[in-house]
Amino acid sequence: MSNNQHTLPAGWRESVAHRIILKGGRLFHPGSELDQIADLAIQDGCIKHIGSIPSDFQGETVNCEGLLITPGLYDMHVHLREPGFEHKETVRTGCSAAAAGGFTGIACMPNTNPSTDNPGIVEFIRNQAKGLPVDVDPIAATTKGRKGETLTEMSELAATGVTAFSDDGSPIASADLMRRALEYTNMLGALLIEHCEEPTMTVGSIMHEGAVSTRLGLTGWPAVAEEIAIERNIQLAEYTGARLHCAHVSTARGVELIRNAKKRGVRVTGEATPHHVSLECSILEHYDSEYKVNPPLRESKDIEALIAGLADGTIDAIATDHAPHAHDEKEVELALAPFGMVGLETAFGVILTELVNTGRISLARAIDAMSTQPRRLMSLPDVSLEVGSEANLSIMDLNEQWTVERDTLNSKSHNTPFHGWKLTGRARGIYNNSKYWGRK
Ligand code: DOR
């Protein structure tokens, strides 16, 4: 089997035609107020014509009538599991899932084995992704082995093109080390992405602490454990002047802290996941480990605050925290199961169905939070839908209704909390790096 058969999403095809015409799509770029139905012609990876296509421009035509064409979606929080945990996901299977979800770029977290704490692993991951229409940007570990003890050789890592550092999966417990990490990332112009958790308060925690955890007899994970960490890290970002990004914000007060800090001019940003804006902690009543995630699913007031934060831009980006785990690892008693859920293939459908189609955030904000903002946070160049620009596009069907079936996911792991959900909105194709991948 060729590599492509391994990596193309099921039912998709690849085209490397020099000239492609995306016909009749709705070109939508919130940043430039572009919203227009027009043909778009690509030649050798660049947008050559928009609107009327000269008759001598012959190429492969992809019918995009009724479809939305946006700047390539970007997920800044993905766990690819390679090297070390290839039974859960590889770079290639993760990219297949990303493409199926409409993403043309992803940033992958360093909690691999060995961890991405040196330039060799960064290069290895980049090599694994070579030739794909999905860009993979490794995020380097903040501390050696992600142990929270000694900083990595950050300038060496930045010299390889790494633009963000994180120990995600674990917080940096020491305030002093966090301060030093922020000083270094600031000097390097990089982003520090922090998993905000006060670890002494979450030992043995399984789910959000509240009435439901008490009733179920499950060890609680207090919201304040996240909020203390966000508060401390904001203070350190303010003190050092560095750029701090709070990963997977899950609590109402967390959103409020970020909102207030932004007003003071602190360089802090935040992301929310599709699962934290759509699932409540009460779903743990089923004792189903598919819903076990770090940070945990919270209460309706938290969901409302996250959505309001997304709507007003306090929460800059939507990121999946795609965390694949094998079936036999998840199918154990709740206390032993690992934290995490896959999200790449359901993200767009969940956001469209739950937030956009219900009028809680606009389509423009959703696309902005899933493309332009995360790319900016990762210091990547803006993507534009203009003649002469490099073509980096997602082709999305806003009307397709589909049911999530865990066994048909392209990810190597199928641990989705959305199995059986009826969603509206799904990717039909992507174009990036001079390649088109799309549904047959
Ligand atoms: O639920 C989670 N799973 N949260 C994290 O922060 C890490 C992730 C993983 O790597 O499995």
Side-chain angles (χ1 to χ4, degrees), residues 71-75 101 103 274 316-320 347-348 351 365-374:
L73 301 188
Y74 192 92
D75 187 352
F103 294 97
D316 305 74
I318 294 168
T320 65
F348 184 77
I351 294 301
R365 181 74 260 272
I367 299 296
D368 179 54
M370 293 182 83
S371 60
T372 309
Q373 295 310 324

Side-chain angles (χ1 to χ4, degrees), residues 1-20:
M1 229 194 270
S2 80
N3 264 341
N4 278 339
Q5 281 166 297
H6 284 297
T7 51
L8 269 167
W12 283 37
R13 70 182 180 90
E14 173 176 293
S15 169
V16 289
H18 288 299
R19 293 173 152 200
I20 290 199

